[in-house]
């Protein structure tokens, strides 16, 4: 069964420290992976997609098919990065393209 | 176009009552999705439409739940005979095509069943 696992419910770092939000997935086909972010009192929004290989707000994520991981990284965390982060998986070649979300990791960046 | 709109933002209802939520997607988006999110969980897929056709329903969507998108524009999600376990945030999202450029989410409707 398709599944997304985010092992950390809460991650707390100091400003300027590196941050890595872990995401592992279980999927038999060719996955499409995403990171979504929800800032306080705002709606859920797309942060980045693995297919675009882009860096958004200093965040990057690399798809590692061997380890079935898609960890989100940023070298120097900022206070404004504090938010809920959700990893999501979609199957465009299979089911119909609905997103399967992990339970989320709350990132807290302390001054 | 101000994005995906959901109405109402909050709904408190007594157990056993019916409720209906509305979602207005981004106008050029042909796909519309409904998700449910409970405390400490990520959004869980309920159902989605491509234009007016409902193409997939999750097993989470019991017989008490029904969704429509009659003209391929706005959508409604109705819950009949609400139960306390239905209390959750109901999220709507839309996308153009398969969504490989991501989904655009609404702010959600928070349902509380008392």
């Amino acid at each position: 069964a398709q599944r997304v696992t985010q092992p950390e419910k809460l991650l707390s770092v100091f400003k300027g420290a590196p941050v890595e939000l872990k995401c592992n997935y279980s999927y038999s086909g060719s996955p499409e992976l995403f990171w979504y972010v929800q800032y306080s009192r705002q709606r859920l929004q797309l942060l980045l997609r693995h297919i675009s290989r882009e860096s958004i707000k200093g965040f990057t994520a690399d798809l590692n098919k061997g380890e079935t991981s898609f960890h989100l990284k940023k070298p120097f965390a900022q206070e404004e990065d504090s938010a809920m982060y959700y990893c999501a998986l979609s199957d465009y070649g299979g089911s119909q393209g609905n997103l399967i979300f992990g339970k989320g990791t709350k990132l807290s960046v302390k001054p | 176009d101000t994005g995906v709109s959901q109405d109402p933002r909050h709904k408190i209802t007594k157990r056993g009552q019916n409720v209906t939520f509305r979602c207005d997607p981004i106008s050029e988006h042909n796909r519309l999705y409904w998700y449910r999110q409970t405390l400490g969980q990520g959004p869980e897929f309920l159902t989605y439409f491509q234009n007016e056709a409902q193409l997939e329903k999750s097993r989470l969507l019991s017989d008490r739940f029904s969704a429509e998108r009659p003209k391929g524009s706005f959508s409604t999600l109705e819950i009949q005979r609400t139960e306390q376990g239905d209390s959750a945030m109901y999220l709507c999202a839309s996308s153009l095509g398969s969504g490989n450029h991501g989904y655009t989410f609404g702010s959600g409707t928070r349902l509380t069943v008392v």
Side-chain angles (χ1 to χ4, degrees):
Chain A
Q2 300 170 23
R3 187 170 60 247
V4 176
T5 303
Q6 293 181 252
E8 303 140 328
K9 292 184 73 171
L10 173 65
L11 184 62
S12 185
V13 301
F14 286 102
K15 177 183 173 181
V19 63
E20 181 179 67
L21 299 165
K22 294 187 180 346
C23 172
N24 289 90
Y25 66 90
S26 173
Y27 182 64
S28 57
S30 181
E32 296 275 2
L33 276 297
F34 303 81
W35 277 98
Y36 280 78
V37 61
Q38 188 166 26
Y39 301 102
S40 180
R41 299 189 189 88
Q42 293 187 28
R43 60 188 67 189
L44 194 60
Q45 58 186 282
L46 177 68
L47 180 62
L48 56 78
R49 310 168 287 156
H50 95 268
I51 57 174
S52 60
R53 297 182 177 274
E54 57 200 345
S55 173
I56 303 293
K57 299 184 180 182
F59 284 98
T60 58
D62 292 318
L63 178 61
N64 185 322
K65 292 186 178 180
E67 296 183 358
T68 60
S69 68
F70 188 56
H71 303 328
L72 184 67
K73 301 177 183 180
K74 185 169 183 176
F76 307 104
Q78 302 299 314
E79 289 181 68
E80 55 266 29
D81 296 328
S82 296
M84 280 295 298
Y85 290 81
Y86 294 95
C87 182
L89 164 73
S90 185
D91 166 23
Y92 299 117
S95 66
Q96 299 290 336
N98 75 77
L99 282 177
I100 299 166
F101 287 85
K103 293 185 177 183
T105 298
K106 183 175 183 178
L107 175 64
S108 175
V109 182
K110 299 178 178 180
Chain B
D1 195 337
T2 56
V4 178
S5 300
Q6 291 189 246
D7 184 70
R9 292 292 300 274
H10 304 274
K11 178 70 177 178
I12 300 174
T13 191
K14 291 184 178 180
R15 189 175 53 185
Q17 297 294 306
N18 299 345
V19 294
T20 300
F21 311 140
R22 177 180 170 123
C23 172
D24 287 88
I26 291 174
S27 55
E28 59 266 29
H29 284 183
N30 59 338
R31 287 199 178 185
L32 185 149
Y33 311 83
W34 285 100
Y35 281 78
R36 181 174 70 184
Q37 187 173 22
T38 53
L39 197 62
Q41 302 294 318
E44 296 172 297
F45 172 74
L46 292 177
T47 188
Y48 93 95
F49 293 84
Q50 180 160 299
N51 301 314
E52 66 275 10
Q54 188 173 17
L55 295 187
E56 188 173 354
K57 292 193 288 187
S58 162
R59 284 171 293 178
L60 291 176
L61 212 66
S62 76
D63 291 343
R64 297 184 297 105
F65 288 70
S66 62
E68 294 181 342
R69 194 183 183 197
K71 297 181 180 179
S73 56
F74 73 92
S75 175
T76 57
L77 177 67
E78 181 183 17
I79 309 174
Q80 296 182 327
R81 305 180 302 281
T82 52
E83 302 173 355
Q84 287 189 321
D86 297 331
S87 295
M89 177 73 84
Y90 289 84
L91 297 170
C92 177
S94 68
S95 71
L96 183 62
S98 62
N100 59 345
H101 292 280
Y103 295 1
T104 301
F105 279 86
S107 297
T109 293
R110 181 168 295 284
L111 173 66
T112 302
V113 182
V114 297

